[in-house]
Each structure stands twice: as C-alpha cells, then as structure tokens.
Amino acid sequence: MWFRLQGTTRHAAVLLRLLMQHARGVHLEGVVCWALSSLETCHFVIVSVLKKCVKCKEELAAVLIRAGDAYCRSCFRESFIHKFRAMLGKTRVIFPGEKVLLAVSGGPSSCSMLSQVQEGVSQNAHKKLRFVPGIVYIEEGGTLGQSKELRRKTTSELCEMFRSTGFPFYILPLEQVLDLPGSVVAPSSLSDQPSSAYKTAVDHFLQSGSSAGVMAEEQKDVSLPAVQESQTQLLQQLLGSAKTLTAKQDLLSALRQHLLVHTARTKGYSKLMLGDSCTRLAVKLFTSISLGRGAQLAQDTGFSDCRYGDVIAVRPMREYSAKEIAYYNHMFKVPSFVIPSLDTKTPDKASIQRLTESFVTKLQADFPSTVSTIYRTGEKLQTACRSSSAAEDIDRCLLCVCSLDTVVEEASALQATLISEQLSQTKAPQTSVAVKSEPAAAVGQCCSSEGPCGRTEGAVGCYISPKEHEVTKLRKLLCYSCQRTIRDMSSVHHLPHYVLSEAQRRQNRSVMKKQISEFLLDDADEND
C-alpha cells in the first residue's frame, strides 16, 4: 500500500531530515520516496514494503513510477532497458554498423542514455545494439565566466567516466563554434533509402563482424583542446549582446546544435543521439509554442530530426520521465554531474524557458499525468509547412535550419503582426501639418540605398533606423522565432562569422536569381 503526504515545507522539515535533505529519489530501508519541493509545498509519495510488484507478482515493490505501477528492483531494470532498445528497434532509424555520436551533457538523462548504450553493446547483452557509439561533450564554462581551473576540473571528471566506457570521446569547448564553416547552416541533401535497406544493413553487419578495433584506434587521438582568452571574450560578447535571458538560451541552443552537427560530420558519424527526456520535451513543446516555433514542433520534439540532411538527430530517452530516470540512476549507481547553466539559480520569471519549466513541474506535482498528456498530445501535432529535408537551403532558417515559416499569404496572422509592429514604430511628425499615411505596400520595404523607406536618413515617417537596416535584411533569412531572438540582440555583428558569411551568400544568390529570373524555366514549363 502507498500513501501521499502533502504539506508546507515548514511542516515537512522534520520529515525532510529523516529522508535526506534535498533528495529527489531516495531508497531508504526498503522504502522508496519521491520528493518534489517548491517554495510553497512539498510532496512525498511513499511506497510501503507491503506492496507487490505488478509484473512478477512475487517480489516486494521498490519503486512507484505512476499510480498502480509499482515495480521490484529487477523488473524495473528490465522494463527500463527494454523500453530503450524497443524504441531504437521499432523506429529502424539507426542501421547496424552505423556510427552514432552520443551528445552527453553530464546530466541525469544523458548519462542514463550513455549507460544504456554501454550495456547494450556489451558482449553479454541480450538483443545487443549493433551500432558503433562515440561520445561528445560540449564544455560551456566560458559562457558563465568560469575560471580555467574549474573548467579543467569538470572536464577531467567527465573524461574519467568516458574512458571507462571504452568509446571514443571528444571534449569540445563551446568557443570552437566561432570557427565553424558556413556549410553547417547549409545542410546536405538527404537521399531516400529503399524499404529493404535496413535488412541489407543487418546482413552486411553480420557478415563483417564487430567493429571494436575501430573504436580502440580512435580512442588514442583524444586530447583536450586549448581555449584562447580572446575566443572566450568573443563568445561572452555574443551572448551578452542578447538583452533577455530568453534570447540568450535560444541562441545558445542553436550554437550548441551547430557544433554537435559539425563534429558528427567531421568525425564520420551519421546519427546524433540526444538525451532529451519526456519531461524535458514536454517543457520544450510549451516553450516552442510560446516562442513562435509551432511550425517546427515536429523537428524540435520528435524522435528523429532530419533538418540537417546527412546527420539525423534521434531522441531515444523521450519515453522516460525525469522521475523514472532519477530512480534508475540512484538505484543502479549511474553517475551524473551537476553542471551550472545560464538559468541556474534564476527566478521562475527570468525567461520564457524557465517559466515554462516551473509551470510544468509544479503542475506535474499535483497532477502526475501532466507530462505524459503533453507528450502524447505533441506526438499528434504535425506542421503544415514543407518538410525540412525537402526544402532548399535558401528556404531554410539561418539559425535553426528549419523550413521558413514566414513565406505566407498576405492575409495571414503573421503579416498582420508584422504590419502592426511596424506601424507602432512609425515616427510621429514634428510639425502640426498632417502627414499622409504610407500605403500598405510600403510597409516593411525599407531597402533603398539612400536610406530606410527610400527617404534620406532621419526623414519624417521613417519606419526603422539605419542601425536596424542590416537587422531587417538578416531577418528575411530567419524563421519567426529566430527573428525574435535577433531582434533582442544589440548588434548582429556579434554573430559568428559563418552565420554572417552564409547570410551574405544567400543574399547574393537571391539578387542573382532575381536578375536572371526572366531566363529561368518554371516547374510547369519543365513538365511540358
């Protein structure tokens, strides 16, 4: 039998000392407790030793995942492992013998994912995983202004864990994102594979045997790259140019994704495995909608993400809740690390991401089916835009590399929002003489060489300032959400060189295409 006790944190102080302070998953003398604490309330779910396992019906329950789902230690472990391998098996996205790069951040979810892969590729594993894994860790201490000693200490602890797996691993400081080539945001084409390709890959893998020698050879070339102080300062200037924490986190996420994809390409990995849990994806779904990324939900929260073409990102931990992962890591001694981020120790209203996370977790404490409901609802959502794999690079966002959602009809909610925004920024005339309003077609067409809106600089009725002129040109290459991020930046010149160079290339190509448009054939003409 199990009980639920609820009260204020002041009333639960004595109970907290008994169960261990600040514990999230505790196994104490045959009793498993789960605590979710906030500023106002503290909730405890206690599973008594009298409860039987719902699977084997014999052993005493050791963990309660959901109401009525009480598992013993061995059945919980089997269920956890089976869910991971079944997710990879039924999707058939990762082919046997394929090189897969595991993005490990040091948190509970990614470390649990690493543990599952390490156990799955072992010789004694049942239903052995047949891909070749590698590990990548992006060190982000430079964004927080951490000292070199602290950054080396964190990196050395992670290196010890990575070496114990026997997989090749790569430690990359985030400063390396400033030196990436422009091809990162110009994705390669994704070739369609026949339905029999997976079976052919299985047969080829069984004939060729294992690939342990390849992993051992790559392991010798691992080294910790040096970070120049000038690069760290440029990275801090880039994030510091964002005026809000929401824009900083959104920009940091895009830069991190660019570095992961570039590393996978240069090291020969065709798949990128991310450790996003069900709880994280539920928060991300609400956050994406709040930031105007509704058209990109399929790529941001789905199992597979094909926006980069030759590198496909997968999320095998999306079926696990944060509570379930915390239980597993504690019961089976899976190591994880507490690494600070931009929103560490910030209030709930510091950013949209932070506010959404607080809302979902607090709602989950009172209604345990909140995360699963959001997650299952998100699986049913589909975008009406073209898929990212079928879009040309000029029709993709310059930052998130998704299909542009700004190419819409004139009578749309997006156009109404943009016109309202531009009219609210119109400068009022200085004289008492009424100024004739501009026609609707002139709204947003501030691209004359003489100055914005075709007028001389500083003229009455100018819609944007000369400083925002370059921002306006850049925003045409971005989706709606990334436009809001760039708008919150003090200067676009702090963006990495590869982003600005790719923007210039696309603008030049657009101008050239416009010049030769009379000589180009339409799709209808080609079919004739």
Side-chain angles (χ1 to χ4, degrees), residues 180-250:
L180 295 184
S183 58
V184 176
V185 289
S188 304
S189 59
L190 180 63
S191 59
D192 296 333
Q193 296 179 344
S195 58
S196 61
Y198 186 83
K199 185 178 182 301
T200 304
V202 173
D203 297 337
H204 178 73
F205 178 81
L206 295 177
Q207 295 176 2
S208 61
S210 65
S211 56
V214 177
M215 293 195 305
E217 182 179 356
E218 293 184 0
Q219 184 73 29
K220 299 178 182 179
D221 299 330
V222 176
S223 61
L224 298 177
V227 180
Q228 298 180 359
E229 188 66 26
S230 59
Q231 293 291 90
T232 303
Q233 293 179 358
L234 289 177
L235 180 62
Q236 292 175 352
Q237 290 177 2
L238 169 59
L239 295 178
S241 63
K243 303 175 184 179
T244 62
L245 182 59
T246 299
K248 291 181 181 179
Q249 289 183 270
D250 207 18

Side-chain angles (χ1 to χ4, degrees), residues 12 111 127 160 163 218 225 276 295 308 347 359 414 450:
C111 288
K127 293 184 178 180
E160 293 180 2
R163 290 192 182 96
E218 293 184 0
D276 295 331
Y308 293 96
F359 169 74
L414 175 61
E450 297 180 1

Side-chain angles (χ1 to χ4, degrees), residues 96-152:
E98 202 168 21
K99 298 183 66 176
V100 179
L101 188 62
L102 279 64
V104 179
S105 63
S109 183
S110 61
C111 288
S112 181
M113 177 185 69
L114 176 60
S115 175
Q116 292 300 307
V117 173
Q118 182 182 3
E119 186 174 354
V121 299
S122 61
Q123 295 295 334
N124 301 326
H126 178 62
K127 293 184 178 180
K128 182 178 179 180
L129 299 177
R130 298 173 176 176
F131 56 83
V132 183
I135 306 173
V136 60
Y137 168 71
I138 297 181
E139 199 278 322
E140 303 177 1
T143 61
L144 304 176
Q146 295 181 352
S147 62
K148 293 183 178 180
E149 291 75 14
L150 181 58
R151 299 177 67 177
R152 292 195 196 99

Side-chain angles (χ1 to χ4, degrees), residues 4-9 12 15-16 19-26 32-46 64-65 279 321-324 326-327 357-371:
R4 180 184 179 95
L5 306 179
Q6 177 174 345
T8 62
T9 54
L15 186 58
L16 276 174
L19 296 179
M20 294 181 181
Q21 290 185 350
H22 310 295
R24 284 189 173 270
V26 183
V32 174
C33 307
W34 177 255
L36 292 174
S37 60
S38 64
L39 295 178
E40 299 296 335
T41 62
C42 186
H43 305 274
F44 301 93
V45 178
I46 304 178
L64 180 68
I65 304 301
T279 306
S321 64
K323 174 182 177 180
E324 192 173 358
Y327 273 148
E357 180 182 4
S358 175
F359 169 74
V360 173
T361 53
K362 289 180 179 179
L363 195 62
Q364 173 73 11
D366 294 329
F367 304 95
S369 61
T370 298
V371 169

Side-chain angles (χ1 to χ4, degrees), residues 46 68 110 171 225 409 445 476 522:
I46 304 178
S110 61
I171 307 294
E409 300 177 356
Q445 298 181 0
K476 297 179 180 179
D522 297 334

